[in-house]
């Protein structure tokens, strides 16, 4: 489950969007007239279940502004932990090769490439709709975007990183999450279908960091990857499993 934002905070984001300023600039623009009709229209869309980031067209991730909209998973704050773990695993490797499987908006690949300009980063995506968002976010980043399944078309890498779909089929999700692409969320009865397929691809790579959704998934993945370590997110739920692959 994703970390939920507060309604007040979301309303401020929408107000800043209508005013054409950033959230931190909002307080110095409050005495200027607000287009309340437009604001009300956006609030109504949000109440109707449209994700905030789809309405504003972007969201913050790891200090970057990531464009997004229908057809792609919205970057989540808890996924920043995955980037932290990935950067930690790369710390002692000069000019590493990294693959971000199922990149979605490209946020993870972009964060890694930004922090490690010496890295060669591949980002794969099998959804054409998501690929178009990744193409925008990754333009001029040096990240190589590959349209395809898992690590197809990528060389052996020092690190494979992924925030795969891991929600169990039939799990109840908030209405805004259900507006996001099902193929980015759901992965079979236990939410493990894509994770299992990724694990099969790992032997030719150096290490892996995977986002997972439940303690049971963390234990399962750790049981399949010798030497695995589990990292919690800021809500103290297990969120990332990392391990050497060979
Ligand atoms: N963390 C997301 C949610 O529960 C799911 C993202 C994913 O499956 N990778 O909303």
């Amino acid at each position: 489950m994703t970390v939920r934002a507060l309604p007040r905070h979301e309303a401020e984001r929408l107000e800043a969007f209508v005013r054409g300023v950033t959230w931190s600039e909002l307080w110095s623009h409050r005495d200027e007239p607000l287009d309340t009709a437009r604001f009300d229209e956006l609030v109504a869309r949000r109440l109707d279940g449209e994700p905030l980031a789809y309405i504003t067209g972007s969201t913050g991730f790891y200090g970057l502004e990531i464009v997004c909209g229908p057809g792609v998973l919205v970057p989540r704050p808890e996924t920043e932990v995955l980037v932290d773990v990935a950067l930690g695993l790369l710390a002692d490797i000069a000019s590493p090769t990294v693959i971000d499987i199922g990149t979605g908006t490209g946020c993870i690949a972009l964060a890694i490439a930004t922090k490690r300009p010496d890295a060669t980063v591949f980002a794969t995506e099998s959804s054409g709709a998501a690929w178009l968002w990744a193409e925008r976010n990754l333009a001029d980043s040096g990240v190589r975007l590959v349209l395809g399944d898992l690590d197809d078309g990528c060389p052996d890498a020092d690190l494979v990183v992924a925030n795969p779909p891991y929600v169990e089929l039939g799990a109840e999700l908030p209405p805004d999450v259900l507006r996001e692409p099902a193929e980015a969320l759901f992965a079979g009865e236990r939410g493990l279908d894509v994770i299992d397929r990724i694990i099969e691809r790992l032997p030719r790579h150096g290490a892996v960091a995977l986002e997972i959704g439940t303690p049971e998934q963390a234990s399962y993945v750790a049981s399949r990857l010798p030497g695995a370590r589990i990292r919690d997110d800021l809500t103290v739920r297990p969120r990332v499993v990392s391990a050497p692959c060979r």
Side-chain angles (χ1 to χ4, degrees), residues 1-2 73 76 78 163-167 177 184-185:
M1 192 51 55
T2 190
L73 190 81
R76 275 105 157 113
E78 58 268 34
N163 173 19
Y166 53 66
V167 179
V177 177
L185 294 165

